[in-house]
Amino acid sequence: MDVNDLRGLATITMAVVFTGIIIWTFSSRRKKPFDEAANLPFADKDEEDLASSDKKNQE
């Protein structure tokens, strides 16, 4: 086994890993968690706005 065989195995391994990530990403079972994660920045902003308005109301 020489260096070129190792490079070939590494390429095949990376292609399999890449394909697995793509399948995992676009899986219908992952849609709900990904949608929730996509909305997190908006939820944090609302919570920050509420916290800042509560502080203003308390003062």
Side-chain angles (χ1 to χ4, degrees), residues 6-46:
L6 292 174
R7 289 178 182 162
L9 287 173
T11 301
I12 291 170
T13 303
M14 291 301 128
V16 169
V17 168
F18 178 77
T19 304
I21 291 172
I22 295 299
I23 291 170
W24 176 75
T25 302
F26 290 106
S27 171
S28 61
R29 293 186 304 170
R30 301 292 305 163
K31 182 167 178 35
K32 185 177 178 183
F34 284 152
D35 286 342
E36 290 173 1
N39 288 322
L40 280 177
F42 304 114
D44 289 344
K45 179 139 176 70
D46 292 340

